[in-house]
Amino acid sequence: MSFDGFFVGRIDYQDKDARLKEQRMEMVWGGSKSLGKGSDIFAGVLYNNYAPPRGFCYDQACTSPPIQDDTRLYV
């Protein structure tokens, strides 16, 4: 498929709860047996569905402050 990785945004809530508890949110997804290991791909489930992590929302409807990591620019 020419992808480096594949991420899923929505899964069943029970599956997501189990994956979070067992630390299985990321995996190597086995491709076709006829294509062998060359068809395997890194896959994962997004933790916040389609939303950004807390503190990283820069949409006009969000209130996250900008990240300022250069102290020379503080006013």
Side-chain angles (χ1 to χ4, degrees):
M1 292 189 336
S2 299
F3 291 118
D4 291 328
F6 181 78
F7 286 87
V8 179
R10 294 182 180 181
I11 61 172
D12 179 74
Y13 74 96
Q14 292 172 325
D15 186 21
K16 185 174 181 179
D17 289 344
R19 288 180 179 279
L20 281 168
K21 186 171 35 172
E22 298 166 8
Q23 297 182 351
R24 295 186 300 120
M25 294 291 276
E26 294 87 21
M27 69 217 94
V28 174
W29 191 342
S32 171
K33 285 187 179 186
S34 65
L35 296 175
K37 294 280 184 191
S39 65
D40 292 354
I41 188 170
F42 175 76
V45 179
L46 299 175
Y47 288 85
N48 295 330
N49 293 334
Y50 301 113
R54 188 177 303 137
F56 286 90
C57 185
Y58 302 114
D59 193 324
Q60 52 186 285
C62 299
T63 59
S64 295
I67 295 174
Q68 180 56 270
D69 61 351
D70 189 345
T71 56
R72 297 173 297 162
L73 299 176
Y74 285 128
V75 191

